[in-house]
Amino acid sequence: MADTGGQDHRSLYDGFEGYRTVAREEVAATLSEGLIVPDANVLLNLYRYTPDARENLLSVLRKLAVNLWVPHQVLVEFWRNRESVIRDPGDSDKTVDSIATHCGNAINDLRSWANRVSLPPETTSTLVGHIQSGFDQVASEVRALSAATNTDFSYNTAQDAVLKELEEIVAGRVGAEMSPQAHAKAVTEGLRRVANQEPPGYKDKSKGDSRAAGDYIVWEQVLTEAEARKKPVVFVTGDNKEDWWRVEAGQRRGPRVELVQEMLRRTGQLLLMVRPSQLLEYAKTFLEVEVSADSVRDVENIDSAVSRSEEVPPGGGWTVKALTIFMISLSGEAKVQAEVIKAAAAQSGFVTRDQVYDIAEYSPQRSLRGFTRPVNRIAQFVKGVGLADEKAVDILLAVYNDDSPEVGWAAGFRIHPEVLPMIQQVIADGLELPDDGD
């Protein structure tokens, strides 16, 4: 008998299930027998899809309704973001303003060229009129298309066509809310994972508060339901970030290996992850649902565009100049928080809870709840005056891990890694504004 070194006989994929490509037949079986779980972005993007694409996806959800299950946290995020998403396709003013800016720039460029070549004024005026007319026509059509897109949507929930469809589809298929104790525990674990870049959801660190744990709470609720029902899971999400997907050479190969393994450990079940466009393709093949190629393309394009728009901007959305103004303002209005940021910057970006108490000379009985509020308020002011990207990341993040003294208590604070090098430069420069206006 061959020496196995005391190990069980194992196969090629044992312990490496996350690398296995799931066969189409297994996908078909899981769609028929498993738990179909939509992420919040799937429901929210119904407001963004073309009418045909929206109806195709709703048809698929109706077909799968017997196996559909919606985590409570998914609806928390759906209702939290619904009105802003409705406003998104209808908010044509920002686009029209941008068009007007480009129009003005084009006219200025034309006039500069006309002056250099001594173009007759009447010819210049004719060309300017062509530019103005073209931009005006585009702006008018943008407003008209925006108005047409929003005809089925309403802030009044009794009149919203999407809600009427969803209400019927998910009736009796929504998970229960976590107990306060379980929720607090999940928030702590979710924020710990964010701080340590463990999936899922660590790409949401820019949210900076308990909302950064939202993806983990969804994941925990899915695990709990799959364990109770003893069913495999098909998680449908428009999110394409690497905190959910295993990405190789720029391609999504499947769910993160860690998530596949965690699902197996907790439930003994298979985890599949599909994009909404993939779900439409599978439904057309396996469920005999009529789905147009245009709908598949439109869904994929919109999901990708929305996901890209949620990515962290370069430099976290900050510049050295913006951070200098931020630190000068913080030093004047919230000196303790400014000193904590300086201490963290000197320690690779992290400062412990005990160090905060020492720096601030707080009594042991004092809570750190709300400690980052002055930081976030001043950061919001800097964004509001246009010095930083409106989607710029939060600068100082609470860290929750095994060193947290109680559930929901921060173990310390960390400077967002995207801005840490610039913060260190600002401090080294003595909070002096750069001469180059950076």
Side-chain angles (χ1 to χ4, degrees), residues 112-134:
S112 295
W113 172 80
N115 289 335
R116 290 197 302 273
V117 299
S118 300
L119 205 66
E122 59 274 16
T123 304
T124 301
S125 295
T126 299
L127 293 176
V128 167
H130 292 329
I131 293 174
Q132 188 69 61
S133 175

Side-chain angles (χ1 to χ4, degrees), residues 359-377:
I359 292 168
E361 298 183 350
Y362 288 161
S363 69
Q365 291 75 35
R366 177 161 178 166
S367 169
L368 292 182
R369 187 178 300 277
F371 184 80
T372 60
R373 277 185 200 143
V375 178
N376 295 334
R377 174 174 52 79

Side-chain angles (χ1 to χ4, degrees), residues 161-182:
V162 170
L163 290 182
K164 289 178 181 178
E165 296 276 7
L166 284 178
E167 185 176 18
E168 179 182 341
I169 292 170
V170 307
R173 299 182 174 94
V174 178
E177 183 177 5
M178 285 177 158
S179 69
Q181 296 81 3

